[in-house]
Amino acid sequence: ALLQAARAAALAQGGTWESVGGAGNKLRSVAEGRADLAIMHFGTSLWDTAAPEALVRASGGRVSDLFGAPLVHRTGGPLKNALGVVASAKGCGAAHASLCKAMRSDPRALALLAESAGPREAWGAQAADVARGLDGRPLCRRWLGEAVGGGELLRYDAPEEGAFRGMMSNGCRLDLVWGE
């Protein structure tokens, strides 16, 4: 259902859909300009996207997770691209940004953040691409609670309306919900 929502957001401005097998082939299609956008499922591994991401970037394109944040290729963390992968060809940055903005408001996409941000009944639009640690991963509720020192942090929100994205830096407001 989430991939269909991402597809619908990608096609909102027009275009066609083509299914291509393999993360490397999808990213290569974008790097070579045969596709404007590529959306990958949540089971791709870091090694599936690392080298092809370099090709997309070298060709002037962009690769991010579903929310618009760069992929994290580091040792010691998860080996899956659990927040999905979106790639755009050179000149298709607006379509990439539009798709990621739609996903930052989609409850199915935001549910991917429940483990790190905390569970909730309903999600508002989140600055999920900005509320990240220095390692590039979504902020961890446990770490954030310890860092701020306010007790048990039940959840945090990073409301989209409290975010800014600049040329040199990004930022967002965090709303913290504490336990008793």
Side-chain angles (χ1 to χ4, degrees):
L2 181 52
L3 284 177
Q4 285 80 9
R7 179 187 331 173
L11 296 175
Q13 305 298 320
T16 59
W17 178 263
E18 180 180 340
S19 181
V20 176
N25 286 329
K26 289 176 180 78
L27 291 167
R28 189 174 109 205
S29 292
V30 168
E32 292 175 347
R34 292 183 284 121
D36 293 340
L37 288 172
I39 306 166
M40 278 138 276
H41 62 79
F42 309 98
T44 61
S45 298
L46 293 175
W47 56 80
D48 293 330
T49 55
E53 179 182 0
L55 294 175
V56 171
R57 288 178 178 266
S59 70
R62 180 175 174 213
V63 178
S64 74
D65 68 19
L66 206 55
F67 301 110
L71 299 183
V72 179
H73 296 284
R74 295 188 185 195
T75 59
L79 297 177
K80 296 280 184 198
N81 293 311
L83 299 178
V85 179
V86 176
S88 59
K90 181 178 181 177
C92 297
H96 191 125
S98 178
L99 167 61
C100 293
K101 182 177 181 182
M103 293 297 97
R104 291 192 298 269
S105 296
D106 188 289
R108 294 164 292 196
L110 293 169
L112 296 171
L113 300 173
E115 184 178 333
S116 59
R120 70 227 39 232
E121 304 234 347
W123 288 85
Q126 299 287 306
D129 59 325
V130 179
R132 303 288 173 124
L134 293 176
D135 64 358
R137 294 186 178 95
L139 289 174
C140 173
R141 176 172 38 118
R142 182 176 172 197
W143 173 86
L144 188 58
E146 290 173 2
V148 175
E152 181 189 8
L153 181 61
L154 299 177
R155 73 169 199 264
Y156 71 85
D157 288 299
E160 184 66 35
E161 67 271 5
F164 68 90
R165 293 167 183 83
M167 194 155 83
M168 298 296 288
S169 63
N170 301 322
C172 67
R173 181 183 84 233
L174 293 177
D175 296 335
L176 309 176
V177 178
W178 298 97
E180 302 269 335

